[in-house]
Amino acid sequence: MRSQPRMNDSVQRIKERLPVTDVVSQYVKLEKAGASMKARCPFHNEKTPSFFVSPARGTYYCFGCGEHGDIFTFVQKFEGVDFRKALETLAARAGVEIVKENPQRRAERDRLRTALERASEWFAGNLAENKAAITYLTDRGLTLETIAAWKVGFAPAVWEALREAFKKEEFRDEELLAVGLLRRSEKKKGEYYDYFRGRIMFPLFDSSGRAAAFSGRAFGETEAEGPKYLNSPETPLFHKSSLLYGMHRAKLAIHKFTFSIVVEGQMDLLAAHQAGWANTVAPSGTALTEEHVTALRNLSRQVVLAFDADAAGVAATEKAAYLALAHGMNVKVARLPKGLDPADLIRSNPEAFREAVRASSHIVDFLLDQLVSEG
């Protein structure tokens, strides 16, 4: 019986199928330099190219900052992920199967991912039929193109709408429960009901752009019931302490602009991306965490916090700033007019938001000004 290939075999097969120049050129523009290729280093700012890629060795080296490695370390560093995620990303590109994971467990995880993707499509289909929800989103400044691109959807205010729809696709209740789409009934043993009902739905994507969870905003009849925003519970595919909303689209832009922007909510992020600030991310269901900061720092050490200008926003700014500073980041704050969040400001005056980002204050100056205003 033929033995399963080992992890090292998978790594080698990926390297054989993916030349280092092919991988790196997807992120930076390479130019011929003798037997090598060169570019301006993506890991530090420079005017003259000092970043060299060797096709023969399958490696890269920057003479400016010393960054070096192979395709795996490059993806880890550029995308701010660990080796396992880099391995999964490159394996998918190379068409190489990683066999260390138990095949049955992998099949189960793939099925859970499929359930989330189908749910995202189902929610989006519901939104297309809900004119009131679409009007709310467009009145908040979002275009139909942005709504479609980010797969914004709607969960009907019905107890078992999703459950019944997914029975037809032969998903078991236990699978939908595992990814946070259903809840167990406390009154009827063995019964389940939809986790999200009567909410505008925002899929939360992992760093590869796959739906990992959802955040639902109360809309219509449900606005008077429960929390304004309801996020998926922790699942095998979703950990709120590590996922940043929008990161799958923001990675390249953070490198391009050499800084990231952090906002508080989904609407703020969508408005920012729509206005051209593709380097914007947002935590979901939690304050900024060490894992979030580490992921951002791996892309750029410069960060601008653009939180609401109310008391809660100032408190959140201070907390996030202290955490980022502790991890060696340069922290600035975009000062927004009181009473306006980023989404509202961008809708009413996009140039004012641009100026707020451009003129952002160092966190020390921001905190000193806060002390003066409170005194």
Side-chain angles (χ1 to χ4, degrees):
M1 181 175 176
R2 188 177 180 181
S3 62
Q4 292 276 18
R6 297 173 299 173
M7 178 69 77
N8 287 343
D9 296 331
S10 298
V11 169
Q12 186 58 40
R13 284 186 298 142
I14 292 170
K15 286 186 174 182
E16 289 172 354
R17 295 189 186 186
L18 292 179
V20 64
T21 50
D22 288 0
V23 174
V24 175
S25 64
Q26 292 183 345
Y27 299 90
V28 297
K29 184 178 180 180
L30 294 174
E31 298 175 355
K32 190 73 175 174
S36 300
M37 304 288 284
K38 67 178 180 179
R40 284 184 291 185
C41 181
F43 304 123
H44 79 286
N45 294 325
E46 61 177 11
K47 295 182 179 179
T48 303
S50 61
F51 180 85
F52 286 79
V53 177
S54 172
R57 295 188 179 92
T59 60
Y60 66 89
Y61 185 85
C62 177
F63 291 90
C65 67
E67 284 291 338
H68 63 283
D70 59 10
I71 57 175
F72 294 96
T73 52
F74 183 88
V75 171
Q76 281 182 260
K77 179 69 177 178
F78 192 96
E79 298 205 3
V81 298
D82 59 17
F83 174 76
R84 182 71 194 186
K85 177 58 72 173
L87 179 66
E88 292 175 352
T89 299
L90 292 171
R93 293 181 192 173
V96 171
E97 182 180 3
I98 304 171
V99 297
K100 186 175 182 179
E101 185 175 17
N102 180 285
Q104 182 178 350
R105 175 174 290 185
R106 180 174 182 178
E108 291 170 353
R109 288 175 68 88
D110 287 345
R111 187 165 169 80
L112 295 182
R113 292 190 189 282
T114 299
L116 289 168
E117 290 294 338
R118 296 280 177 80
S120 178
E121 295 168 2
W122 187 75
F123 289 136
N126 293 332
L127 180 67
E129 299 175 1
N130 192 314
K131 293 183 179 179
I134 292 175
T135 298
Y136 166 80
L137 292 168
T138 54
D139 284 349
R140 288 293 309 272
L142 299 186
T143 65
L144 295 178
E145 290 76 15
T146 294
I147 293 169
W150 290 83
K151 301 181 181 179
V152 181
F154 186 77
V158 180
W159 284 90
E160 296 185 19
L162 180 142
R163 185 188 181 205
E164 290 300 321
F166 275 57
K167 277 184 179 179
K168 299 174 184 177
E169 297 197 28
E170 299 183 350
F171 282 100
R172 294 179 289 109
D173 287 341
E174 292 75 12
E175 292 174 317
L176 302 180
L177 178 70
V179 289
L181 291 172
L182 295 185
R183 278 179 170 169
R184 279 196 179 94
S185 173
E186 296 179 0
K187 297 180 180 180
K188 296 181 180 180
K189 188 176 181 180
E191 288 296 314
Y192 301 86
Y193 60 91
D194 292 0
Y195 188 87
F196 296 101
R197 303 181 309 280
R199 292 178 178 273
I200 294 174
M201 302 296 294
F202 300 90
L204 306 179
F205 307 97
D206 64 19
S207 61
S208 298
R210 299 171 298 189
F214 295 91
S215 180
R217 186 198 187 281
F219 183 77
E221 298 175 2
T222 60
E223 289 193 79
E225 307 170 4
K228 181 177 180 181
Y229 278 92
L230 178 66
N231 295 299
S232 294
E234 295 274 312
T235 74
L237 302 179
F238 172 57
H239 304 286
K240 61 185 179 182
S241 63
S242 59
L243 186 146
L244 281 167
Y245 184 50
M247 179 62 100
H248 68 297
R249 290 176 178 263
K251 290 178 291 189
L252 292 176
I254 292 173
H255 272 288
K256 177 182 177 181
F257 293 118
T258 69
F259 71 97
S260 58
I261 300 174
V262 180
V263 296
E264 290 184 279
Q266 281 84 29
M267 290 297 297
D268 295 331
L269 180 131
L270 296 183
H273 275 252
Q274 182 175 287
W277 297 102
N279 55 331
T280 305
V281 297
S284 292
T286 181
L288 209 64
T289 68
E290 288 195 18
E291 289 179 79
H292 293 151
V293 170
T294 298
L296 291 173
R297 186 190 61 193
N298 287 340
L299 298 172
S300 172
R301 290 183 178 270
Q302 319 295 321
V303 61
V304 173
L305 304 177
F307 296 168
D308 296 358
D310 56 16
V314 171
T317 297
E318 291 185 26
K319 184 177 180 180
Y322 290 142
L323 185 60
L325 288 170
H327 284 73
M329 298 188 74
N330 180 27
V331 184
K332 291 186 175 183
V333 180
R335 301 179 188 237
L336 306 183
K338 287 188 177 181
L340 292 179
D341 59 24
D344 291 331
L345 181 59
I346 291 171
R347 180 188 62 195
S348 61
N349 190 345
E351 188 56 39
F353 181 77
R354 181 178 299 277
E355 179 59 23
V357 172
R358 191 195 66 79
S360 54
S361 307
H362 190 277
I363 183 60
V364 173
D365 295 325
F366 174 80
L367 294 177
L368 287 175
D369 289 345
Q370 285 297 125
L371 288 174
V372 171
S373 63
E374 293 172 0

